[in-house]
Structures are given as structure tokens and as C-alpha cells.
Amino acid sequence: MSLPHAILTALLEKPSSGLELTRRFDKSIGYFWSATHQQIYRELAKLEAEGSIRTLPAEQPARGQKKSYEVLPAGRAELARWTAASQDPKPQRDILLLRLRAAAVVGTAGLEADLRRHLELHQRQLAEYEEIEQRDFPPDRDAPQDRLRHLVLRAGIDLETFWTQWLTHALKEFAELPDEARKPVPDPANGTSA
Amino acid sequence: MSLPHAILTALLEKPSSGLELTRRFDKSIGYFWSATHQQIYRELAKLEAEGSIRTLPAEQPARGQKKSYEVLPAGRAELARWTAASQDPKPQRDILLLRLRAAAVVGTAGLEADLRRHLELHQRQLAEYEEIEQRDFPPDRDAPQDRLRHLVLRAGIDLETFWTQWLTHALKEFAELPDEARKPVPDPANGTSA
DNA sequence: GTCCACATGTAACTGGTTACATGATTGG
DNA sequence: CCAATCATGTAACCAGTTACATGTGGAC
């Protein structure tokens, strides 16, 4: 139950229409909470129904027509409640690590190329974050709000740094792997194909 | 579509029953791909129906009765295919970062205590991983399989290290936050309660 | 007038979560 | 025989994903 809270946060930062929100979820907030426009429209309808947000007055609610929302006191209160409430970190799921573990039993064939591709993607993401840091958080300004947002960005930077380092290390290990490891443990008991 | 592959990997490492798998998903594999027993039973039934696994012979398929599975060639082939196939990293979702961003608009009240709690949890997890590393990966042995599994564990260790460091840093920043930041930007326009 | 981009929405499906149901085995 | 534990399973629900439908307004 976090999407509604992500939307409330975004709307408090700046009242927006569904499509504008969608665009903002492609960057900034979307860096750690992505959402498609379908999810967003569905959730906006729900939030409006329960009185957490409302459409800005002077907007016509017609089909192909832009409709902007703002947060109501009830919505702000709910967001504050949720932010303060203790929540357990939920176990991360990581497909790449799963594939590596699978590779330990069925062989590493094909994996290396994808590791290389992931490394590039993470390097690109890291560069993007660092650019944002330089642009939005110059060394001195430090309003409390900026401090907090900078902290969030720092997490993104450090995470991407971790991935690039780990992937680099992994590729080095792969290079040293003996050839048998590419398709090992050919299960003694049974044949080959499906 | 990764749960079936996680299960195939686990079963190749060692044929097991549903409950045994559930227990293994509470550690090792579960560190980066968690699953409940309901999910596992559902998936085992599907995998058996499609011919990827089978119940070990000499097991009676009755209700309160243990039923162990092993992987068939088709299942192994599918796992190898999946492991080698290129897959995009999917955007991470992180509730804590979302809450921090929300706190920048509705105030940090209550968050600090939870950061501290998370720090402790991550420190504990880190300690657990390091214990496993010492126990299972002594400095010298390096069969290819162990190398790969060690690599996976390394990722876990480095990730937990990142979190403990970041959380420590975040708490330091929190300590320096001015009091207004605890409940700031009290939205000029409207009243208080729901 | 037609096409395209903008904008909002519906429907069907998949995977994960929560709550509950049922049977077998074992220790007291 | 009763309770606890092991073990397998059902059902309902919720969130996220994918594919598609519909309407508006401006450029040409």
C-alpha cells in the first residue's frame, strides 16, 4: 500500500494531472517507486472517492480533457500518519542474483554478456544521478527539505555505485572461471532435450 | 516469472518436498527471492503439470503425506534457457526512500526511530551473512560452483553494508535537522484534521 | 478533413499476500 | 484420546502489468 502515498507526496510537491504525474514517475519519484499511467489513474480515482484529493476547481471533467488534482487535509494527514508508522523492510527480490545462483547448477553460458549489459545500464544511471546531484544540490544550500531529498539521492548514487562495483568484480571472476563451468554438472541421470 | 526458476534451482541443488522448500526459502535462496508455502505448492503443481518436475517414485500422493520432487530434463532445459536469456533490471521499489521523500513535505516526525530500527535489522543481517561467509567459504577452496555462490553472497554482504552506512549517515543528518523540519510546510491553504 | 500527439480511461491477466481448511503422525 | 506439529492444500483478495479503447485539439 504505497502507491497512493507516492501519489500524495507528488501532488503535495506540485498539483498535477494524471499524465503529468505519469511523467514525473518516469524520473525523480519513479527512481524508487515506478508506476504506469493505468495504475495512476486508477489510484487517483480511488483517492478522490475517499476524499484525500480533489480536482482543481475550474477544470471540466470530460474524457479527453485535462484534470488536475490537489491534496486535501485528509490526504495530508494520511500521508503524515503513514510516513511516521513503523514498517518492516520487505525482503528484496533480485532476478540477477537468482540467475547467478541458477548458473551455479546449469552453467554460466550466456550470463556474462548480460552482466556486461547490466554494468553499462548501472553506470549510465549512476552518471544521471551524479548529474542531478551537481545540478540540484550545490555544496552550500541546505534547507531541511533539500537535505532530505539529497539524502534520498545519495541512496540512489550509493546503490548504483554498489552495483557497478559488484558487477565489475563478478565479471573479473567470470573471466577466471574454467571452461567446464560454462555448462557443468550435466546431471548424470537423464538425457538432454525437452 | 521467476518463482518457478527459483524452485527449479532449489530442486536441482537438492530434491525436496514443499515444506522443505519453504524452509529453504526462509534462508539461502530466500535472501534474494522469498516465497510463502502457498506460492510454492501452487507453483509445484504447475511445474509438475507441465512436465518440468515429478514426484520422487515410492512416495504416496495423499493429503497430509510428504511428497518430494525432482527436476526432469525439460525443467533443467527451461532453467538453462531462462538463465542465459537477457533480462532488463527492473526498477527497484523502496518504501523507506519513499517515506523519506514524503517526510520532506509532511515532516520527519516518527521517522527517525524507524531508521534506527532498520539500521539494527540491517546490521543483524550483515552479521548473519558474514557468519555464513566464514562458515561456507573458507579462503582457499574454489570449485566453480562455490565461486558463483560466493559471488551471490558477496552481493548480499555489500548491499547490507551499503544500507548500514547510508542509514548511519541519514541518522547523523537527522540529528542536525532544525526543529521546524519535524512538522514543516504546514500547507497555508487549509485546516488541520481529516 | 486527416493524422498525430495529448489525455483519460477499461478489461483481462498474473503474481504475491492473507486467511483459512484438512489430514497424518507423534508425544503425553 | 487429545493436543501439537508436520504437511499439503483452497479461496479470496490486492497490486502491478499488458493490451486496448475513446475522446480532444492542433498541424498540415
Side-chain angles (χ1 to χ4, degrees):
Chain A
M1 272 285 291
S2 306
L3 177 58
H5 304 101
I7 291 177
L8 288 171
T9 304
L11 287 180
L12 279 171
E13 290 174 354
K14 176 171 169 32
S16 308
S17 69
L19 200 61
E20 282 161 2
L21 279 177
T22 303
R23 296 224 175 84
R24 293 171 60 196
F25 272 79
D26 281 340
K27 24 184 179 59
S28 91
I29 303 178
Y31 289 141
F32 47 92
W33 206 273
S34 61
T36 62
H37 80 272
Q38 292 90 337
Q39 274 179 284
I40 289 170
Y41 284 119
R42 206 198 315 185
E43 207 60 46
L44 283 172
K46 233 188 270 180
L47 285 168
E48 188 178 25
E50 76 191 29
S52 294
I53 62 175
R54 70 168 171 195
T55 62
L56 283 181
E59 305 274 347
Q60 343 63 318
R63 195 155 169 122
Q65 221 66 25
K66 199 165 124 169
K67 214 163 56 169
S68 290
Y69 294 90
E70 68 176 354
V71 178
L72 292 171
R76 168 179 288 265
E78 165 56 21
L79 184 61
R81 186 204 62 71
W82 175 82
T83 304
S86 161
Q87 291 182 63
D88 286 329
K90 63 175 197 165
Q92 286 300 319
R93 294 205 159 111
D94 192 289
I95 295 187
L96 198 59
L97 295 179
L98 192 56
R99 285 167 70 196
L100 210 57
R101 175 115 177 198
V105 265
V106 297
T108 61
L111 233 185
E112 193 174 344
D114 214 30
L115 289 186
R116 224 180 294 281
R117 198 173 62 89
H118 279 234
L119 175 56
E120 249 176 63
L121 291 171
H122 284 294
Q123 281 169 339
R124 204 168 306 158
Q125 188 65 60
L126 177 56
E128 192 177 329
Y129 285 162
E130 282 173 337
E131 206 176 299
I132 294 173
E133 189 178 38
Q134 295 218 333
R135 170 161 45 80
D136 293 356
F137 302 99
D140 279 340
R141 282 176 61 230
D142 57 348
Q145 294 207 350
D146 285 341
R147 286 256 190 156
L148 291 173
R149 285 198 262 264
H150 193 177
L151 211 44
V152 174
L153 182 59
R154 254 344 300 172
I157 291 175
D158 291 351
L159 264 174
E160 294 301 331
T161 302
F162 150 72
W163 278 113
T164 55
Q165 285 174 354
W166 180 83
L167 281 164
T168 303
H169 174 60
L171 283 166
K172 214 181 303 166
E173 289 270 312
F174 264 57
E176 291 168 13
L177 235 40
D179 258 12
E180 333 107 54
R182 307 204 90 237
K183 189 117 196 183
V185 214
D187 196 10
N190 39 35
T192 327
S193 90
Chain B
M1 271 288 292
S2 306
L3 177 58
H5 304 100
I7 291 177
L8 287 171
T9 304
L11 286 181
L12 279 171
E13 290 174 354
K14 177 170 169 31
S16 309
S17 69
L19 199 62
E20 282 161 1
L21 279 177
T22 303
R23 297 225 176 85
R24 294 172 59 195
F25 271 80
D26 280 340
K27 28 184 178 58
S28 93
I29 302 179
Y31 289 141
F32 47 92
W33 206 273
S34 60
T36 62
H37 80 272
Q38 293 90 336
Q39 272 180 284
I40 288 170
Y41 284 119
R42 207 201 310 189
E43 207 59 46
L44 283 172
K46 234 188 267 181
L47 286 168
E48 188 178 25
E50 76 191 29
S52 294
I53 61 176
R54 70 167 172 197
T55 62
L56 282 181
E59 306 275 349
Q60 349 54 326
R63 195 152 169 124
Q65 223 64 28
K66 199 166 127 170
K67 214 165 54 169
S68 289
Y69 295 90
E70 68 177 355
V71 178
L72 291 172
R76 170 181 284 266
E78 165 56 21
L79 184 61
R81 187 204 61 71
W82 176 82
T83 305
S86 159
Q87 291 182 64
D88 286 331
K90 61 174 196 165
Q92 286 300 320
R93 292 204 160 114
D94 192 288
I95 295 186
L96 197 60
L97 295 179
L98 192 56
R99 285 168 70 197
L100 209 57
R101 175 114 177 200
V105 266
V106 297
T108 61
L111 233 185
E112 194 174 345
D114 214 30
L115 289 186
R116 225 180 294 280
R117 199 173 61 91
H118 279 233
L119 175 55
E120 250 176 61
L121 291 171
H122 284 294
Q123 281 168 339
R124 206 168 306 157
Q125 188 66 59
L126 177 55
E128 192 178 329
Y129 286 162
E130 281 173 338
E131 206 176 299
I132 294 173
E133 189 178 37
Q134 294 218 332
R135 170 161 45 80
D136 294 355
F137 303 98
D140 279 338
R141 281 177 60 232
D142 55 350
Q145 293 206 352
D146 284 342
R147 287 256 189 155
L148 291 172
R149 285 198 261 263
H150 193 177
L151 211 43
V152 174
L153 182 59
R154 249 354 292 176
I157 291 176
D158 291 351
L159 264 174
E160 294 301 331
T161 302
F162 149 72
W163 278 114
T164 55
Q165 285 174 355
W166 180 82
L167 282 164
T168 303
H169 174 60
L171 283 166
K172 213 180 306 166
E173 289 269 314
F174 264 58
E176 292 169 13
L177 236 41
D179 258 13
E180 334 107 59
R182 309 204 88 237
K183 189 115 197 185
V185 213
D187 196 11
N190 37 35
T192 326
S193 92

